[in-house]
Amino acid sequence: MKPVILDVDTGLDDACALLLAARHPELDLKAVTCAGGNVGLDDVVRNTLTVLDAAGRPDVPVARGAAVPLLQPVRMARHVHGEDGLGDIDWPRSTRTTDPRHAVELLRDVLREAAATGDLITLIPLAPLTNIALLLRTYPDAAAGLREIVFMGGAAGIGNATASAEFNVWTDPEAAAIVLTAAGELGVPTTMYGLDVFYDVVVTLDQARGLSGSQSAELARKLIEKRSELYQGDGASIGDGGAVCAVIDPSGLTTQPFPVRIELSGSWSRGRTIVDTRDWSADLTSDPHGLSPTTVQVATAVDGKRYAEMWLATVS
Ligand code: RIB
Ligand code: CA
């Protein structure tokens, strides 16, 4: 089994990711940490616990993390995820409590243990990268427990929160810049599962309506129905869930190594992931910015059908 930790801002599509990670037989879900993002931290935590209950995984520790971005005011996406972040669907909320540790401390402890045993962890951030930036700068030694980071965020092409920027990176650009810099310095292999592939793992309404017989299946059906309604389609992407699919079955994802920087200023471009697709074997010494110190495996294509089938089979 592959040990993983999810960092989430649950969120309808974070919920799709949690169901998959909690139930897939090849994943060992060690912990889930929460950050404010799509909705406020209290709602994120409640939604996360609720989804794990539905998945039959009350054993997974869940920790509260950063409520707000490092520098800028919080901006949420209730228009995409509903007032409560879970689409305001009729579903009983969890009464379970969280781990007493802050998210950064839970991450530190689980990663240090992984470093000691050698069973290294894949970290899957699906939220603004606030918790992960704090972790890597406060406890850099914990990175020894990381096998890799596979994060949902950014885009080589267009954004969603703005024309330039994807929501997670746009919400906390300083955190994203710190994570990419620290991952480069600490030698942590990093994959960017961005908007270039995010929308391509689609579950149809017909497929979703076939989901029944367990709490997990019922919730999964409601999530797809709600996302289909919001996007006015006859199906919906599992969004963040695709990043978990990529960890389970990396051969379904095409990636290319590109230098990536985060735009931290700009009138219209703050929070953009600047993916440098130029040929650096040519003479680019005239570029005053030079080569970005951090190279990221950028997802450029995905086998959406395969991943959607994996998700359906697992959540049901
Ligand atoms: O931009 C995509 C991201 O924002 C995802 O992490 C998802 O939760 C969405 O709301
Ligand atoms: Ca998310």
Coordinates of all heavy atoms in Angstrom, one line a residue, residues 9 13-14 38 81 126 152 160 166-168 195 198 240, ligand 1:
D9 N -9.4 21.5 1.3 CA -10.3 22.6 1.7 C -11.8 22.2 1.3 O -12.4 22.9 0.5 CB -9.9 23.9 1.0 CG -9.9 23.9 -0.5 OD1 -9.8 22.8 -1.0 OD2 -10.0 25.0 -1.1
D13 N -15.3 18.8 -4.7 CA -14.4 17.9 -5.4 C -13.3 17.4 -4.5 O -12.8 16.3 -4.7 CB -13.8 18.6 -6.7 CG -13.0 19.8 -6.4 OD1 -13.4 20.6 -5.5 OD2 -11.9 19.9 -7.0
D14 N -13.0 18.1 -3.4 CA -12.1 17.6 -2.4 C -12.8 16.3 -1.8 O -12.2 15.3 -1.5 CB -11.9 18.5 -1.3 CG -11.2 19.8 -1.7 OD1 -11.9 20.7 -2.3 OD2 -10.0 20.0 -1.5
N38 N -12.0 26.9 -0.1 CA -13.3 27.0 -0.8 C -14.3 27.6 0.2 O -15.2 28.3 -0.2 CB -13.8 25.6 -1.2 CG -13.0 25.0 -2.4 OD1 -12.7 25.8 -3.3 ND2 -12.6 23.8 -2.3
H81 N -19.3 25.9 -4.4 CA -19.4 24.7 -3.5 C -20.6 24.7 -2.5 O -20.8 23.9 -1.7 CB -18.1 24.5 -2.7 CG -16.9 24.3 -3.5 ND1 -16.5 23.0 -4.0 CD2 -16.1 25.2 -4.1 CE1 -15.4 23.1 -4.7 NE2 -15.2 24.4 -4.9
L126 N -4.6 19.6 -1.9 CA -5.7 19.9 -2.8 C -6.3 21.3 -2.4 O -7.5 21.5 -2.8 CB -6.8 18.8 -2.7 CG -6.3 17.4 -2.9 CD1 -7.4 16.4 -2.6 CD2 -5.8 17.2 -4.4
M152 N -2.8 19.6 -6.4 CA -3.8 20.2 -7.4 C -3.6 21.7 -7.3 O -3.8 22.3 -6.2 CB -5.2 19.8 -7.1 CG -6.2 20.2 -8.1 SD -6.5 22.0 -8.2 CE -6.3 22.3 -9.9
N160 N -8.9 29.7 -13.4 CA -10.4 29.7 -13.1 C -10.8 30.9 -12.2 O -11.7 31.6 -12.5 CB -10.8 28.4 -12.6 CG -10.1 27.9 -11.3 OD1 -9.2 28.6 -10.8 ND2 -10.5 26.8 -10.8
E166 N -5.2 29.9 -11.1 CA -6.1 28.8 -10.5 C -6.4 29.1 -9.1 O -5.5 29.7 -8.4 CB -5.3 27.5 -10.7 CG -6.1 26.3 -10.2 CD -5.9 26.1 -8.7 OE1 -4.9 26.5 -8.1 OE2 -6.9 25.6 -8.0
F167 N -7.5 28.7 -8.6 CA -8.0 29.1 -7.2 C -7.0 28.8 -6.1 O -6.8 29.7 -5.2 CB -9.3 28.4 -6.9 CG -9.9 28.7 -5.6 CD1 -10.6 29.9 -5.4 CD2 -9.7 27.9 -4.5 CE1 -11.1 30.2 -4.1 CE2 -10.2 28.2 -3.2 CZ -10.9 29.4 -3.0
N168 N -6.5 27.6 -6.0 CA -5.6 27.3 -4.9 C -4.4 28.2 -4.8 O -4.0 28.6 -3.7 CB -5.2 25.8 -4.9 CG -6.3 24.8 -4.6 OD1 -7.3 25.2 -4.0 ND2 -6.2 23.6 -5.0
L195 N -5.1 22.8 -13.9 CA -6.3 23.0 -14.7 C -6.2 22.4 -16.1 O -7.2 22.2 -16.7 CB -6.8 24.4 -14.7 CG -7.2 25.1 -13.4 CD1 -7.5 26.5 -13.6 CD2 -8.3 24.3 -12.7
F198 N -7.5 19.0 -15.1 CA -8.4 19.0 -13.9 C -9.9 18.6 -14.4 O -10.6 17.9 -13.7 CB -8.4 20.3 -13.3 CG -9.3 20.6 -12.1 CD1 -9.0 20.1 -10.8 CD2 -10.5 21.2 -12.3 CE1 -9.8 20.4 -9.8 CE2 -11.4 21.4 -11.2 CZ -11.0 21.0 -10.0
D240 N -10.5 17.6 -7.9 CA -9.3 17.2 -7.1 C -9.1 15.6 -7.0 O -8.0 15.2 -6.8 CB -9.5 17.6 -5.6 CG -9.4 19.2 -5.5 OD1 -9.0 19.8 -6.4 OD2 -9.8 19.7 -4.4
Ligands
RIB1 O1 -9.2 25.4 -8.8 C1 -9.5 24.1 -8.5 C2 -9.5 24.0 -7.0 O2 -10.5 24.9 -6.6 C3 -9.7 22.7 -6.4 O3 -8.8 22.4 -5.4 C4 -11.1 22.8 -6.0 O4 -11.4 22.5 -4.7 C5 -11.6 24.1 -6.5 O5 -12.6 24.7 -5.8

